[in-house]
Amino acid sequence: GENVEQHPSTLSVQEGDSAVIKCTYSDSASNYFPWYKQELGKRPQLIIDIRSNVGEKKDQRIAVTLNKTAKHFSLHITETQPEDSAVYFCAVDSGYALNFGKGTSLLVTP
Amino acid sequence: DAGITQSPRYKITETGRQVTLMCHQTWSHSYMFWYRQDLGHGLRLIYYSAAADITDKGEVPDGYVVSRSKTENFPLTLESATRSQTSVYFCASSGLAGNTGELFFGEGSRLTVL
């Protein structure tokens, strides 16, 4: 199946700083790249997604960038807040489902 | 107005026993999925279904069986539970082909196999 590498596995930032999480994938035919946020003990929820015909997408403090040539995409969170602390998963379409990265545990300290 | 629900939320069983995890969605979504979540592995696809009576294997299907006789239900059965199947199991559904649209996850079922 689609190989999705996600880095870093843990990330600690101070409140107000920016956080960047990167994912690489192997299948050049992939066209859909969502990001999910999972708070402790909760279900994963979609926070932003991007499709292959777009290079960047923003939604308030979060943004995703996509480089199809290099086969990587990134999640950017600006002005981080303690409530951004969670595990973030990138995902890539595999033709029938989503393949997820292993997750990044983000800790935002006040 | 529950959306997608899983039961039981917590289950402790013994090696060799059969366990069924239930998943029910009220949106009439065509696509349903079962993922397992383990530390260090993220979310791995066990089985998926594109419609009633259509199911197929994902990345880690061994030891699991699914069925989908009705659109709204997608039960996952562990025929003979093993300790390696201790995990958190998430059911998900999507109104679009599962690789192109938002997945809506259930709350998860935490299974411990002793």
Side-chain angles (χ1 to χ4, degrees):
Chain A
E2 169 72 78
N3 187 34
V4 184
E5 297 287 336
Q6 182 172 346
H7 298 280
S9 57
T10 60
L11 180 59
S12 182
V13 300
Q14 286 205 313
E15 184 176 1
D17 288 349
S18 295
V20 181
I21 303 169
K22 297 181 180 180
C23 284
T24 60
Y25 61 98
S26 57
D27 188 352
S28 57
S30 297
N31 289 307
Y32 179 60
F33 309 91
W35 287 89
Y36 283 77
K37 176 183 180 182
Q38 185 180 27
E39 296 177 354
L40 189 63
K42 301 292 180 66
R43 71 189 85 187
Q45 292 188 295
L46 178 71
I47 55 171
I48 195 167
D49 58 13
I50 192 167
R51 298 182 191 273
S52 59
N53 58 344
V54 175
E56 182 176 3
K57 185 177 178 180
K58 288 184 180 180
D59 183 2
Q60 299 183 337
R61 294 187 297 107
I62 61 173
V64 56
T65 58
L66 171 65
N67 184 326
K68 278 221 77 179
T69 302
K71 289 188 279 188
H72 66 72
F73 58 110
S74 299
L75 177 70
H76 305 254
I77 306 174
T78 59
E79 301 173 20
T80 54
Q81 301 169 2
E83 52 264 40
D84 294 328
S85 296
V87 178
Y88 293 81
F89 292 97
C90 65
V92 177
D93 73 280
S94 66
Y96 51 84
L98 291 177
N99 283 344
F100 287 84
K102 293 183 179 180
T104 297
S105 180
L106 173 64
L107 177 63
V108 181
T109 54
Chain B
D1 187 43
I4 181 165
T5 56
Q6 294 182 229
S7 62
R9 294 287 317 281
Y10 303 92
K11 176 74 176 179
I12 300 174
T13 191
E14 295 178 337
T15 301
R17 292 196 180 255
Q18 183 179 83
V19 176
T20 295
L21 306 179
M22 305 300 293
C23 180
H24 175 79
Q25 52 105 352
T26 59
W27 296 305
S28 299
H29 283 168
S30 294
Y31 300 89
M32 296 189 74
F33 309 84
W34 275 105
Y35 286 88
R36 60 176 290 175
Q37 183 173 27
D38 306 285
L39 273 175
H41 291 280
L43 293 156
R44 291 182 292 174
L45 182 68
I46 305 170
Y47 268 94
Y48 67 99
S49 170
D53 298 321
I54 301 175
T55 63
D56 210 341
K57 297 177 180 179
E59 180 186 356
V60 289
D62 293 345
Y64 303 96
V65 174
V66 293
S67 62
R68 193 152 178 222
S69 57
K70 293 184 177 181
T71 299
E72 60 267 30
N73 296 325
F74 191 38
L76 176 74
T77 298
L78 289 67
E79 294 186 301
S80 178
T82 65
R83 287 183 182 154
S84 65
Q85 293 177 309
T86 292
S87 185
V88 179
Y89 292 85
F90 284 99
C91 178
S93 72
S94 175
L96 300 176
N99 60 328
T100 61
E102 180 174 1
L103 290 188
F104 296 89
F105 285 88
E107 294 175 298
S109 294
R110 182 177 293 275
L111 176 68
T112 301
V113 183
L114 302 176

